[in-house]
Amino acid sequence: MRILIVEDDPVLSEGLSVGLGLSGFTADSVATLEDARAALAATRFAGVVLDVMLSDGSGLELLAEIRRGGSDLPVLLLTARDQVRDRIEGLDAGADDHLGKPFDLHELAARLRAILRRAEGRAASVLRWNGLELDPSRLRGEYNGAPLAFSRREFAVLHALMERPGQILSKPALEERLYGWQEEIESNTVEVHVHHLRAKLGREFIETVRGLGYRVAAEG
């Protein structure tokens, strides 16, 4: 899941990027409202972690713009102002959640997973399909009762496919889930990860739709 971090403290921004990466997210970061607007216009993100107090204005301005545009993009606000009235203001402005500084990275990751689940219209934390149970909080799964471990990017590919079973995802769409702006994309990366996943789940679990992309097979 690709996340945009809007935070002007470089140390905190780097910590968020690394911490969310370890929790299975692909994180890109910007420090200003102007750069955030450009990033949102150019890239499709699953959600935004948005600091309220930025050097060039209030994160609430950006939140209001997102909602005025009709977007239901999940937004989690971060702020050093954690009074009740501040939380109410952010939530009433359209935020999906609110977390005061300082905070625990594990809690932030859990809150992100929760608002992303709600955006997908599901309450269960575990994805289930064709005998596979996928747990985003642990980056692990079980297939027909047997535990399975995945690399972070293997998990990201599988998670993307299982979010919408039967829907074809193109190679560029999967690459967008796997890589941030600063990461170099190798030409056969998706194919390699799909090959490794098929070795663990069987060739039939992920179908190749020639010329279009990949999808998880229909339940059988």
Side-chain angles (χ1 to χ4, degrees), residues 135-165:
D135 184 352
S137 68
R138 298 187 302 134
L139 301 183
R140 298 182 67 86
E142 288 188 5
Y143 188 43
N144 295 326
L148 285 177
F150 303 100
S151 73
R152 182 172 67 87
R153 287 185 169 141
E154 287 172 5
F155 192 94
V157 169
L158 193 54
H159 188 229
L161 294 171
M162 286 182 63
E163 281 177 349
R164 296 173 181 82

mmCIF file of all heavy atoms in Angstrom, residues 135-165:
data_model
loop_
_atom_site.group_PDB
_atom_site.id
_atom_site.type_symbol
_atom_site.label_atom_id
_atom_site.label_comp_id
_atom_site.label_asym_id
_atom_site.label_seq_id
_atom_site.Cartn_x
_atom_site.Cartn_y
_atom_site.Cartn_z
ATOM 1 N N ASP A 135 -2.405 -11.771 6.489
ATOM 2 C CA ASP A 135 -2.492 -10.875 7.637
ATOM 3 C C ASP A 135 -1.540 -9.692 7.440
ATOM 4 O O ASP A 135 -0.330 -9.821 7.649
ATOM 5 C CB ASP A 135 -2.138 -11.627 8.921
ATOM 6 C CG ASP A 135 -2.306 -10.789 10.173
ATOM 7 O OD1 ASP A 135 -2.556 -9.570 10.046
ATOM 8 O OD2 ASP A 135 -2.186 -11.343 11.275
ATOM 9 N N PRO A 136 -2.052 -8.505 7.048
ATOM 10 C CA PRO A 136 -1.178 -7.348 6.809
ATOM 11 C C PRO A 136 -0.438 -6.862 8.055
ATOM 12 O O PRO A 136 0.614 -6.239 7.935
ATOM 13 C CB PRO A 136 -2.151 -6.271 6.304
ATOM 14 C CG PRO A 136 -3.313 -7.033 5.745
ATOM 15 C CD PRO A 136 -3.447 -8.237 6.638
ATOM 16 N N SER A 137 -0.966 -7.131 9.240
ATOM 17 C CA SER A 137 -0.300 -6.654 10.448
ATOM 18 C C SER A 137 0.973 -7.443 10.740
ATOM 19 O O SER A 137 1.870 -6.946 11.430
ATOM 20 C CB SER A 137 -1.244 -6.748 11.651
ATOM 21 O OG SER A 137 -1.515 -8.098 11.993
ATOM 22 N N ARG A 138 1.083 -8.666 10.226
ATOM 23 C CA ARG A 138 2.260 -9.498 10.477
ATOM 24 C C ARG A 138 3.067 -9.780 9.209
ATOM 25 O O ARG A 138 4.131 -10.391 9.267
ATOM 26 C CB ARG A 138 1.841 -10.830 11.106
ATOM 27 C CG ARG A 138 1.158 -10.704 12.457
ATOM 28 C CD ARG A 138 0.943 -12.073 13.090
ATOM 29 N NE ARG A 138 0.141 -12.946 12.237
ATOM 30 C CZ ARG A 138 0.439 -14.222 11.972
ATOM 31 N NH1 ARG A 138 1.533 -14.763 12.493
ATOM 32 N NH2 ARG A 138 -0.350 -14.945 11.199
ATOM 33 N N LEU A 139 2.535 -9.367 8.062
ATOM 34 C CA LEU A 139 3.154 -9.652 6.768
ATOM 35 C C LEU A 139 3.370 -11.152 6.585
ATOM 36 O O LEU A 139 4.375 -11.598 6.023
ATOM 37 C CB LEU A 139 4.488 -8.901 6.605
ATOM 38 C CG LEU A 139 4.421 -7.377 6.701
ATOM 39 C CD1 LEU A 139 5.799 -6.770 6.459
ATOM 40 C CD2 LEU A 139 3.401 -6.795 5.749
ATOM 41 N N ARG A 140 2.408 -11.916 7.042
ATOM 42 C CA ARG A 140 2.477 -13.376 6.952
ATOM 43 C C ARG A 140 1.123 -13.900 6.506
ATOM 44 O O ARG A 140 0.130 -13.161 6.450
ATOM 45 C CB ARG A 140 2.863 -14.003 8.299
ATOM 46 C CG ARG A 140 4.231 -13.576 8.806
ATOM 47 C CD ARG A 140 4.585 -14.258 10.115
ATOM 48 N NE ARG A 140 4.779 -15.698 9.937
ATOM 49 C CZ ARG A 140 5.930 -16.248 9.562
ATOM 50 N NH1 ARG A 140 6.982 -15.500 9.319
ATOM 51 N NH2 ARG A 140 6.046 -17.544 9.440
ATOM 52 N N GLY A 141 1.101 -15.193 6.192
ATOM 53 C CA GLY A 141 -0.149 -15.801 5.774
ATOM 54 C C GLY A 141 -0.202 -17.271 6.131
ATOM 55 O O GLY A 141 0.776 -17.853 6.630
ATOM 56 N N GLU A 142 -1.359 -17.850 5.891
ATOM 57 C CA GLU A 142 -1.563 -19.293 6.018
ATOM 58 C C GLU A 142 -2.289 -19.772 4.773
ATOM 59 O O GLU A 142 -3.255 -19.144 4.328
ATOM 60 C CB GLU A 142 -2.397 -19.629 7.260
ATOM 61 C CG GLU A 142 -1.671 -19.440 8.567
ATOM 62 C CD GLU A 142 -2.471 -19.967 9.756
ATOM 63 O OE1 GLU A 142 -3.551 -20.564 9.518
ATOM 64 O OE2 GLU A 142 -2.020 -19.795 10.899
ATOM 65 N N TYR A 143 -1.801 -20.876 4.230
ATOM 66 C CA TYR A 143 -2.435 -21.451 3.040
ATOM 67 C C TYR A 143 -2.874 -22.864 3.365
ATOM 68 O O TYR A 143 -2.046 -23.728 3.668
ATOM 69 C CB TYR A 143 -1.456 -21.441 1.874
ATOM 70 C CG TYR A 143 -2.076 -21.829 0.552
ATOM 71 C CD1 TYR A 143 -3.320 -21.343 0.174
ATOM 72 C CD2 TYR A 143 -1.406 -22.665 -0.340
ATOM 73 C CE1 TYR A 143 -3.883 -21.675 -1.041
ATOM 74 C CE2 TYR A 143 -1.947 -23.003 -1.561
ATOM 75 C CZ TYR A 143 -3.196 -22.507 -1.908
ATOM 76 O OH TYR A 143 -3.751 -22.841 -3.112
ATOM 77 N N ASN A 144 -4.193 -23.052 3.361
ATOM 78 C CA ASN A 144 -4.777 -24.339 3.755
ATOM 79 C C ASN A 144 -4.248 -24.788 5.118
ATOM 80 O O ASN A 144 -3.937 -25.964 5.334
ATOM 81 C CB ASN A 144 -4.496 -25.400 2.689
ATOM 82 C CG ASN A 144 -5.190 -25.094 1.374
ATOM 83 O OD1 ASN A 144 -6.294 -24.533 1.356
ATOM 84 N ND2 ASN A 144 -4.574 -25.444 0.274
ATOM 85 N N GLY A 145 -4.106 -23.813 6.024
ATOM 86 C CA GLY A 145 -3.692 -24.106 7.398
ATOM 87 C C GLY A 145 -2.203 -24.115 7.642
ATOM 88 O O GLY A 145 -1.774 -24.153 8.791
ATOM 89 N N ALA A 146 -1.399 -24.077 6.588
ATOM 90 C CA ALA A 146 0.062 -24.104 6.752
ATOM 91 C C ALA A 146 0.607 -22.690 6.729
ATOM 92 O O ALA A 146 0.262 -21.900 5.838
ATOM 93 C CB ALA A 146 0.697 -24.918 5.628
ATOM 94 N N PRO A 147 1.476 -22.316 7.691
ATOM 95 C CA PRO A 147 2.016 -20.954 7.729
ATOM 96 C C PRO A 147 2.950 -20.685 6.554
ATOM 97 O O PRO A 147 3.680 -21.573 6.100
ATOM 98 C CB PRO A 147 2.768 -20.912 9.059
ATOM 99 C CG PRO A 147 3.068 -22.328 9.387
ATOM 100 C CD PRO A 147 1.956 -23.148 8.810
ATOM 101 N N LEU A 148 2.899 -19.437 6.080
ATOM 102 C CA LEU A 148 3.752 -19.013 4.980
ATOM 103 C C LEU A 148 4.396 -17.683 5.321
ATOM 104 O O LEU A 148 3.769 -16.817 5.921
ATOM 105 C CB LEU A 148 2.929 -18.837 3.691
ATOM 106 C CG LEU A 148 2.468 -20.087 2.949
ATOM 107 C CD1 LEU A 148 1.620 -19.678 1.751
ATOM 108 C CD2 LEU A 148 3.651 -20.917 2.493
ATOM 109 N N ALA A 149 5.655 -17.516 4.928
ATOM 110 C CA ALA A 149 6.352 -16.244 5.086
ATOM 111 C C ALA A 149 6.601 -15.651 3.698
ATOM 112 O O ALA A 149 6.835 -16.379 2.728
ATOM 113 C CB ALA A 149 7.676 -16.444 5.814
ATOM 114 N N PHE A 150 6.539 -14.334 3.614
ATOM 115 C CA PHE A 150 6.739 -13.640 2.347
ATOM 116 C C PHE A 150 7.745 -12.511 2.540
ATOM 117 O O PHE A 150 7.836 -11.928 3.622
ATOM 118 C CB PHE A 150 5.422 -13.033 1.841
ATOM 119 C CG PHE A 150 4.309 -14.016 1.669
ATOM 120 C CD1 PHE A 150 3.322 -14.133 2.638
ATOM 121 C CD2 PHE A 150 4.238 -14.814 0.544
ATOM 122 C CE1 PHE A 150 2.283 -15.028 2.494
ATOM 123 C CE2 PHE A 150 3.204 -15.716 0.379
ATOM 124 C CZ PHE A 150 2.215 -15.830 1.358
ATOM 125 N N SER A 151 8.461 -12.181 1.482
ATOM 126 C CA SER A 151 9.236 -10.941 1.514
ATOM 127 C C SER A 151 8.257 -9.771 1.486
ATOM 128 O O SER A 151 7.081 -9.934 1.147
ATOM 129 C CB SER A 151 10.179 -10.868 0.308
ATOM 130 O OG SER A 151 9.443 -10.611 -0.884
ATOM 131 N N ARG A 152 8.754 -8.577 1.818
ATOM 132 C CA ARG A 152 7.859 -7.414 1.859
ATOM 133 C C ARG A 152 7.215 -7.175 0.502
ATOM 134 O O ARG A 152 6.021 -6.874 0.414
ATOM 135 C CB ARG A 152 8.662 -6.174 2.285
ATOM 136 C CG ARG A 152 7.827 -4.913 2.401
ATOM 137 C CD ARG A 152 8.617 -3.763 3.003
ATOM 138 N NE ARG A 152 9.687 -3.297 2.152
ATOM 139 C CZ ARG A 152 9.543 -2.365 1.192
ATOM 140 N NH1 ARG A 152 8.356 -1.834 0.976
ATOM 141 N NH2 ARG A 152 10.571 -1.974 0.478
ATOM 142 N N ARG A 153 7.966 -7.325 -0.564
ATOM 143 C CA ARG A 153 7.407 -7.034 -1.886
ATOM 144 C C ARG A 153 6.558 -8.181 -2.414
ATOM 145 O O ARG A 153 5.588 -7.952 -3.136
ATOM 146 C CB ARG A 153 8.527 -6.649 -2.852
ATOM 147 C CG ARG A 153 9.053 -5.253 -2.523
ATOM 148 C CD ARG A 153 10.063 -4.733 -3.483
ATOM 149 N NE ARG A 153 10.292 -3.314 -3.230
ATOM 150 C CZ ARG A 153 11.468 -2.737 -3.295
ATOM 151 N NH1 ARG A 153 12.542 -3.444 -3.600
ATOM 152 N NH2 ARG A 153 11.590 -1.448 -3.070
ATOM 153 N N GLU A 154 6.888 -9.408 -2.084
ATOM 154 C CA GLU A 154 5.984 -10.514 -2.400
ATOM 155 C C GLU A 154 4.625 -10.276 -1.746
ATOM 156 O O GLU A 154 3.577 -10.453 -2.375
ATOM 157 C CB GLU A 154 6.564 -11.842 -1.905
ATOM 158 C CG GLU A 154 7.727 -12.375 -2.700
ATOM 159 C CD GLU A 154 8.371 -13.585 -2.038
ATOM 160 O OE1 GLU A 154 7.861 -14.075 -1.004
ATOM 161 O OE2 GLU A 154 9.403 -14.037 -2.554
ATOM 162 N N PHE A 155 4.679 -9.868 -0.479
ATOM 163 C CA PHE A 155 3.437 -9.617 0.246
ATOM 164 C C PHE A 155 2.654 -8.484 -0.420
ATOM 165 O O PHE A 155 1.429 -8.564 -0.551
ATOM 166 C CB PHE A 155 3.737 -9.262 1.699
ATOM 167 C CG PHE A 155 2.517 -9.264 2.582
ATOM 168 C CD1 PHE A 155 2.169 -10.392 3.306
ATOM 169 C CD2 PHE A 155 1.711 -8.142 2.674
ATOM 170 C CE1 PHE A 155 1.038 -10.402 4.108
ATOM 171 C CE2 PHE A 155 0.574 -8.132 3.465
ATOM 172 C CZ PHE A 155 0.239 -9.268 4.187
ATOM 173 N N ALA A 156 3.349 -7.437 -0.848
ATOM 174 C CA ALA A 156 2.672 -6.297 -1.470
ATOM 175 C C ALA A 156 1.960 -6.700 -2.755
ATOM 176 O O ALA A 156 0.826 -6.276 -3.020
ATOM 177 C CB ALA A 156 3.675 -5.178 -1.746
ATOM 178 N N VAL A 157 2.603 -7.526 -3.576
ATOM 179 C CA VAL A 157 1.965 -8.004 -4.806
ATOM 180 C C VAL A 157 0.721 -8.828 -4.475
ATOM 181 O O VAL A 157 -0.367 -8.611 -5.040
ATOM 182 C CB VAL A 157 2.953 -8.834 -5.640
ATOM 183 C CG1 VAL A 157 2.232 -9.548 -6.785
ATOM 184 C CG2 VAL A 157 4.068 -7.951 -6.189
ATOM 185 N N LEU A 158 0.860 -9.752 -3.552
ATOM 186 C CA LEU A 158 -0.255 -10.624 -3.196
ATOM 187 C C LEU A 158 -1.398 -9.834 -2.565
ATOM 188 O O LEU A 158 -2.571 -10.067 -2.860
ATOM 189 C CB LEU A 158 0.251 -11.710 -2.245
ATOM 190 C CG LEU A 158 -0.670 -12.908 -1.989
ATOM 191 C CD1 LEU A 158 -1.092 -13.558 -3.301
ATOM 192 C CD2 LEU A 158 0.054 -13.928 -1.105
ATOM 193 N N HIS A 159 -1.047 -8.902 -1.704
ATOM 194 C CA HIS A 159 -2.058 -8.068 -1.059
ATOM 195 C C HIS A 159 -2.842 -7.270 -2.094
ATOM 196 O O HIS A 159 -4.082 -7.179 -2.022
ATOM 197 C CB HIS A 159 -1.383 -7.132 -0.066
ATOM 198 C CG HIS A 159 -2.339 -6.372 0.792
ATOM 199 N ND1 HIS A 159 -2.239 -5.020 0.967
ATOM 200 C CD2 HIS A 159 -3.417 -6.759 1.511
ATOM 201 C CE1 HIS A 159 -3.207 -4.595 1.770
ATOM 202 N NE2 HIS A 159 -3.932 -5.644 2.112
ATOM 203 N N ALA A 160 -2.150 -6.694 -3.064
ATOM 204 C CA ALA A 160 -2.817 -5.921 -4.107
ATOM 205 C C ALA A 160 -3.794 -6.782 -4.899
ATOM 206 O O ALA A 160 -4.920 -6.356 -5.200
ATOM 207 C CB ALA A 160 -1.774 -5.311 -5.048
ATOM 208 N N LEU A 161 -3.398 -7.996 -5.223
ATOM 209 C CA LEU A 161 -4.266 -8.885 -5.999
ATOM 210 C C LEU A 161 -5.457 -9.367 -5.183
ATOM 211 O O LEU A 161 -6.574 -9.516 -5.716
ATOM 212 C CB LEU A 161 -3.459 -10.081 -6.506
ATOM 213 C CG LEU A 161 -2.365 -9.766 -7.535
ATOM 214 C CD1 LEU A 161 -1.503 -10.995 -7.793
ATOM 215 C CD2 LEU A 161 -2.973 -9.250 -8.839
ATOM 216 N N MET A 162 -5.254 -9.590 -3.891
ATOM 217 C CA MET A 162 -6.330 -10.124 -3.055
ATOM 218 C C MET A 162 -7.306 -9.049 -2.580
ATOM 219 O O MET A 162 -8.392 -9.372 -2.105
ATOM 220 C CB MET A 162 -5.749 -10.874 -1.857
ATOM 221 C CG MET A 162 -5.160 -12.218 -2.230
ATOM 222 S SD MET A 162 -4.529 -13.129 -0.811
ATOM 223 C CE MET A 162 -6.028 -13.403 0.158
ATOM 224 N N GLU A 163 -6.931 -7.786 -2.707
ATOM 225 C CA GLU A 163 -7.869 -6.720 -2.352
ATOM 226 C C GLU A 163 -9.108 -6.757 -3.246
ATOM 227 O O GLU A 163 -10.211 -6.455 -2.792
ATOM 228 C CB GLU A 163 -7.188 -5.353 -2.476
ATOM 229 C CG GLU A 163 -6.288 -4.996 -1.324
ATOM 230 C CD GLU A 163 -5.606 -3.662 -1.548
ATOM 231 O OE1 GLU A 163 -5.666 -3.125 -2.676
ATOM 232 O OE2 GLU A 163 -4.994 -3.160 -0.595
ATOM 233 N N ARG A 164 -8.900 -7.121 -4.508
ATOM 234 C CA ARG A 164 -10.007 -7.163 -5.477
ATOM 235 C C ARG A 164 -9.891 -8.444 -6.295
ATOM 236 O O ARG A 164 -9.446 -8.412 -7.445
ATOM 237 C CB ARG A 164 -9.983 -5.931 -6.372
ATOM 238 C CG ARG A 164 -10.220 -4.637 -5.591
ATOM 239 C CD ARG A 164 -10.014 -3.410 -6.457
ATOM 240 N NE ARG A 164 -10.225 -2.186 -5.706
ATOM 241 C CZ ARG A 164 -9.312 -1.617 -4.930
ATOM 242 N NH1 ARG A 164 -8.120 -2.179 -4.818
ATOM 243 N NH2 ARG A 164 -9.576 -0.513 -4.264
ATOM 244 N N PRO A 165 -10.281 -9.565 -5.710
ATOM 245 C CA PRO A 165 -10.152 -10.849 -6.406
ATOM 246 C C PRO A 165 -10.859 -10.833 -7.762
ATOM 247 O O PRO A 165 -11.974 -10.319 -7.894
ATOM 248 C CB PRO A 165 -10.821 -11.836 -5.445
ATOM 249 C CG PRO A 165 -10.744 -11.184 -4.110
ATOM 250 C CD PRO A 165 -10.877 -9.718 -4.371
#
